[in-house]
Amino acid sequence: MEPNNNNNMQPDSCLEITPMEVHKVVPPPHRSTIQKLKSRLKETFFPDDPLLQFKRQPLGKKWILAAQYVFPILQWGPNYSFKLFKSDIVSGLTIASLAIPQGISYAKLASLPPIVGLYSSFVPPLVYAVLGSSRDLAVGPVSIASLILGSMLRQEVSPINDPLLFLQLAFSSTFFAGLFQASLGLLRLGFIIDFLSKAILIGFMAGAAVIVSLQQLKSLLGITHFTKQMGLVPVLSSAFHNINEWSWQTILMGFCFLVFLLLARHVSMRKPKLFWVSAGAPLVSVILSTILVFAFKAQHHGISVIGKLQEGLNPPSWNMLHFHGSNLGLVIKTGLVTGIISLTEGIAVGRTFAALKNYQVDGNKEMMAIGLMNVIGSATSCYVTTGAFSRSAVNHNAGAKTAVSNVVMSVTVMVTLLFLMPLFQYTPNVVLGAIIVTAVIGLIDLPAACQIWKIDKFDFVVMLCAFFGVIFISVQDGLAIAVAISIFKILLQVTRPKTLILGNIPGTDIFRNLHHYKDATRIPGFLILSIESPINFANTTYLKERILRWINEYETEEDIKKQSSIHFLILDLSAVSAIDTSGVSLFKDLKKAVENKGSVELVLVNPVGEVLEKLLRADDARDIMGPDTLYLTVGEAVAALSSTMKGQSSSNV
């Protein structure tokens, strides 16, 4: 009989919970509907509280602050010094040496005239220097946006058969991209781009890097007839079906310069102080290859060259913008996709380097700056531009202090456009292809992919979907698939929230997850559950079924152990941040369901803010929110209700 006595003593010992003061659950202060709506809108659209700096300021000061907010150059410009300019001019000239060959290369990647790439490195940097809030961001065309722009427009318009229309559509897409970007900043809707998670971007960038590199096989092998499709299979198929067009001279030159560029990149990665090696390598490659072609007349021996480029500054292009016609849908779609991608890259790069230098970058300002930069650029013969990671990294390492480095780069490009364009006539296309391959290799981030696998397997699947979608289907479809899977993940988390069974840490009034803390023990007669999600129409049915299943599982275990049945169902609502009318109905339905099971009473613990307020409004009869069914902590609830159970047991005896 002794074992039975010991078993009987165990529940009694569990119920010996230290008496404690029971605190009253206080409803939140009354706020009108207008006040609640104002608070919600403020947190949604103005989380950084931009108007805070205007409080308690005289009218004149407010006007100055407003001007500085719109034009950040007015904030740092008055304190600019010659010492800062010395640093900025070095960094500006350095990134110009990278921007010139990249501008020509990326324009060809977008199937645009090479001169447009240089135009896009002249006007946009000047606009950003006035409106941008990052000190390190170096703006200009980027590989991913160039790839997407070219591939989407080529689906309906051929850049070879109809080059003028293709150019018009490119400028129009740039306009809509800028309009969309500026609208996001003006309406403070930047949270929309947060749907592009880190996993999506890593997979997308890696896939795009593979596609961009494979597209350069045309230049690296000297192929004349090459597919316009972007998929892995069509590109490789086209390359190997045209072996007869391969040029050994082109392959040899491409291999040599590709090795040179990769070695320069490797040196700069191993020794960051030698950043100028990789920064200057593209320009050195262009100069050397141009001299070789000119000296040996290589253009007559199988090596294709850029050809003659027009001189002069950006001609106006506002008369080339298309706002009607059969291609309007294509232009808007292309602008939307390229706008989102370029905006995401620009803000991510700006915030990365701002964190390194311990200053703040205003996301909404950046959206408006990049958006206006593209709107103005579309009217001055530029295509989509943003902050490029490679150029910004060089700018940062070169010691840039302010956005004046962008101005120096722009002036250098201007000099090139006015006086140096004839020098690029003999530049071989194979070197431009090698420059592109070297630039996009850095987009493949294997350590980050391994980290995602280590942390979250679902995110890794999302990353793979983005990667394989880009290389096997298309750039925009791969991105759309990855975003759809991420949204599906969010819907799963909303519709299937976690519910945990809690136990008591012995010797304390702390309650934690039984499956996490092995020393946590159940309190006989109590089923304590924690709901870790907002409760709304999408998950009330699941929550009701899951809680009732918890009850059935608990009672089955208690029957097997021959211990006491459930007297109280305690729901810890500390992690429930919001509730709707369906969620309120859940508690009413639960109360009826547990009452039908016998003498089980529903108890709520720590409903916060909005949740408590809505429950009080709905519970006129105080059936759910009575004094004995509402507590501030789980410990207080168990202590108070244990005393009630003891009193009932004594009276029954």
Side-chain angles (χ1 to χ4, degrees):
M1 294 296 292
E2 289 182 6
N4 292 335
N5 290 336
N6 289 337
N7 287 337
N8 291 334
M9 288 296 293
Q10 182 65 27
D12 293 336
S13 62
C14 289
L15 289 174
E16 291 297 331
I17 297 176
T18 305
M20 63 178 67
E21 181 183 356
V22 177
H23 297 84
K24 185 179 179 181
V25 178
V26 180
H30 174 72
R31 292 191 303 168
S32 66
T33 303
I34 297 298
Q35 289 175 322
K36 293 176 186 176
L37 181 62
K38 182 180 177 181
S39 176
R40 178 62 59 88
L41 291 176
K42 181 180 178 181
E43 290 304 314
T44 302
F45 298 106
F46 302 95
D48 54 342
D49 197 6
L51 300 179
L52 180 62
Q53 59 178 331
F54 295 99
K55 291 182 179 179
R56 293 184 294 275
Q57 296 289 348
L59 183 60
K61 181 66 173 178
K62 287 181 179 179
W63 280 108
I64 294 174
L65 291 174
Q68 290 176 344
Y69 184 83
V70 177
F71 303 103
I73 192 173
L74 298 178
Q75 191 170 1
W76 54 265
N79 299 320
Y80 196 71
S81 64
F82 182 73
K83 181 179 179 181
L84 296 175
F85 180 69
K86 287 192 295 183
S87 299
D88 286 335
I89 196 169
V90 171
S91 55
L93 292 173
T94 306
I95 57 175
S97 67
L98 181 63
I100 292 171
Q102 278 190 351
I104 297 173
S105 304
Y106 291 159
K108 292 183 68 65
L109 182 61
S111 301
L112 296 171
I115 191 68
V116 175
L118 290 181
Y119 288 160
S120 303
S121 298
F122 171 51
V123 173
L126 295 176
V127 178
Y128 185 82
V130 176
L131 300 175
S133 59
S134 173
R135 305 171 194 165
D136 299 278
L137 204 66
V139 300
V142 293
S143 58
I144 301 302
S146 303
L147 169 69
I148 296 174
L149 181 77
S151 63
M152 292 185 71
L153 294 181
R154 278 199 305 267
Q155 292 175 358
E156 297 189 22
V157 179
S158 171
I160 297 176
N161 299 332
D162 201 345
L164 179 60
L165 177 60
F166 191 88
L167 188 61
Q168 291 171 342
L169 296 184
F171 293 153
S172 302
S173 298
T174 301
F175 174 83
F176 282 106
L179 186 65
F180 174 72
Q181 293 167 334
S183 299
L184 285 182
L186 186 63
L187 301 176
R188 307 187 70 83
L189 298 175
F191 57 85
I192 291 177
I193 65 173
D194 292 337
F195 280 98
L196 294 178
S197 65
K198 182 179 180 181
I200 290 177
L201 291 175
I202 289 174
F204 172 76
M205 293 290 188
V210 171
I211 291 298
V212 169
S213 300
L214 290 175
Q215 279 286 320
Q216 303 318 304
L217 289 176
K218 176 182 179 181
S219 299
L220 295 173
L221 300 177
I223 300 174
T224 305
H225 301 91
F226 198 73
T227 181
K228 297 300 180 183
Q229 300 183 49
M230 304 301 295
L232 176 69
V233 176
V235 170
L236 291 179
S237 177
S238 178
F240 287 102
H241 275 94
N242 294 290
I243 294 181
N244 58 314
E245 295 184 6
W246 290 15
S247 167
W248 69 266
Q249 298 97 329
T250 302
I251 294 173
L252 178 62
M253 177 176 280
F255 177 78
C256 292
F257 280 102
L258 189 59
V259 170
F260 169 69
L261 290 167
L262 291 175
L263 283 175
R265 181 176 181 273
H266 179 72
V267 169
S268 295
M269 289 180 63
R270 293 293 299 270
K271 296 183 178 181
K273 290 184 178 180
L274 298 177
F275 67 90
W276 51 269
V277 175
S278 63
L283 187 59
V284 171
S285 299
V286 167
I287 294 172
L288 286 178
S289 63
T290 302
I291 292 173
L292 288 173
V293 169
F294 180 78
F296 294 100
K297 306 296 181 184
Q299 71 271 24
H300 302 305
H301 301 283
I303 294 181
S304 64
V305 296
I306 294 178
K308 190 173 182 179
L309 299 176
Q310 66 186 74
E311 298 178 78
L313 300 181
N314 302 31
S317 57
W318 57 73
N319 58 330
M320 300 176 69
L321 301 180
H322 276 220
F323 301 118
H324 53 79
S326 59
N327 294 312
L328 182 60
L330 172 65
V331 163
I332 294 175
K333 183 173 70 172
T334 304
L336 185 66
V337 176
T338 55
I340 290 176
I341 294 300
S342 59
L343 187 63
T344 303
E345 181 176 357
I347 291 179
V349 171
R351 285 176 175 170
T352 299
F353 290 107
L356 292 176
K357 288 189 175 179
N358 196 28
Y359 68 91
Q360 294 293 325
V361 167
D362 189 320
N364 289 292
K365 281 185 185 178
E366 289 296 285
M367 292 177 201
M368 288 188 284
I370 294 174
L372 290 174
M373 183 174 74
N374 282 312
V375 169
I376 296 173
S378 68
T380 53
S381 300
C382 305
Y383 76 104
V384 179
T385 54
T386 187
F389 182 82
S390 57
R391 256 174 281 178
S392 299
V394 170
N395 195 33
H396 170 79
N397 291 328
K401 301 300 182 184
T402 68
V404 171
S405 60
N406 278 290
V407 177
V408 174
M409 178 188 71
S410 179
V411 171
T412 306
V413 173
M414 179 191 71
V415 172
T416 303
L417 287 168
L418 289 175
F419 306 110
L420 305 180
M421 295 311 296
L423 301 179
F424 293 99
Q425 180 176 350
Y426 296 99
T427 300
N429 288 313
V430 62
V431 170
L432 301 181
I435 291 171
I436 291 175
V437 171
T438 308
V440 299
I441 281 178
L443 299 177
I444 302 176
D445 196 345
L446 290 178
C450 294
Q451 186 73 0
I452 290 175
W453 166 261
K454 182 179 179 181
I455 296 174
D456 191 327
K457 302 299 187 292
F458 192 99
D459 272 355
F460 187 78
V461 171
V462 171
M463 184 193 71
L464 289 182
C465 288
F467 177 75
F468 288 116
V470 168
I471 65 174
F472 284 112
I473 305 175
S474 69
V475 175
Q476 59 270 26
D477 290 341
L479 182 63
I481 290 170
V483 172
I485 295 175
S486 294
I487 293 176
F488 176 71
K489 176 185 177 182
I490 295 173
L491 291 176
L492 276 181
Q493 293 173 342
V494 172
T495 58
R496 295 295 183 267
K498 287 186 178 181
T499 55
L500 307 175
I501 185 167
L502 305 182
N504 177 243
I505 304 295
T508 71
D509 61 344
I510 300 172
F511 289 79
R512 290 293 182 266
N513 183 2
L514 277 174
H515 300 291
H516 182 187
Y517 293 85
K518 301 304 180 183
D519 56 340
T521 57
R522 294 181 178 179
I523 306 298
F526 292 85
L527 175 59
I528 308 171
L529 302 176
S530 174
I531 301 174
E532 298 190 342
S533 167
I535 302 175
N536 52 54
F537 66 93
N539 57 31
T540 50
T541 301
Y542 168 78
L543 282 173
K544 180 181 176 181
E545 294 174 352
R546 186 67 185 95
I547 291 171
L548 293 178
R549 184 149 53 92
W550 276 118
I551 295 174
N552 293 333
E553 291 172 358
Y554 185 90
E555 289 179 338
T556 302
E557 292 179 12
E558 294 302 304
D559 288 341
I560 294 173
K561 296 177 182 178
K562 304 298 181 183
Q563 294 185 0
S564 61
S565 60
I566 300 176
H567 293 282
F568 297 99
L569 169 63
I570 298 180
L571 297 181
D572 185 359
L573 305 181
S574 301
V576 179
S577 59
I579 194 171
D580 63 2
T581 51
S582 299
V584 172
S585 300
L586 168 68
F587 294 106
K588 295 183 178 180
D589 295 340
L590 269 179
K591 184 172 180 62
K592 293 178 183 177
V594 297
E595 285 176 349
N596 291 336
K597 285 184 170 291
S599 59
V600 181
E601 190 170 351
L602 177 64
V603 178
L604 305 182
V605 170
N606 195 27
V608 297
E610 174 190 337
V611 178
L612 176 59
E613 188 176 11
K614 290 184 178 179
L615 288 175
L616 287 172
R617 286 182 180 178
D619 189 30
D620 295 329
R622 293 295 180 262
D623 294 332
I624 301 175
M625 309 289 286
D628 296 330
T629 58
L630 182 63
Y631 293 89
L632 194 59
T633 67
V634 176
E636 291 182 5
V638 171
L641 297 173
S642 296
S643 302
T644 304
M645 285 177 59
K646 283 185 178 182
Q648 291 175 351
S649 300
S650 301
S651 61
N652 291 335
V653 172

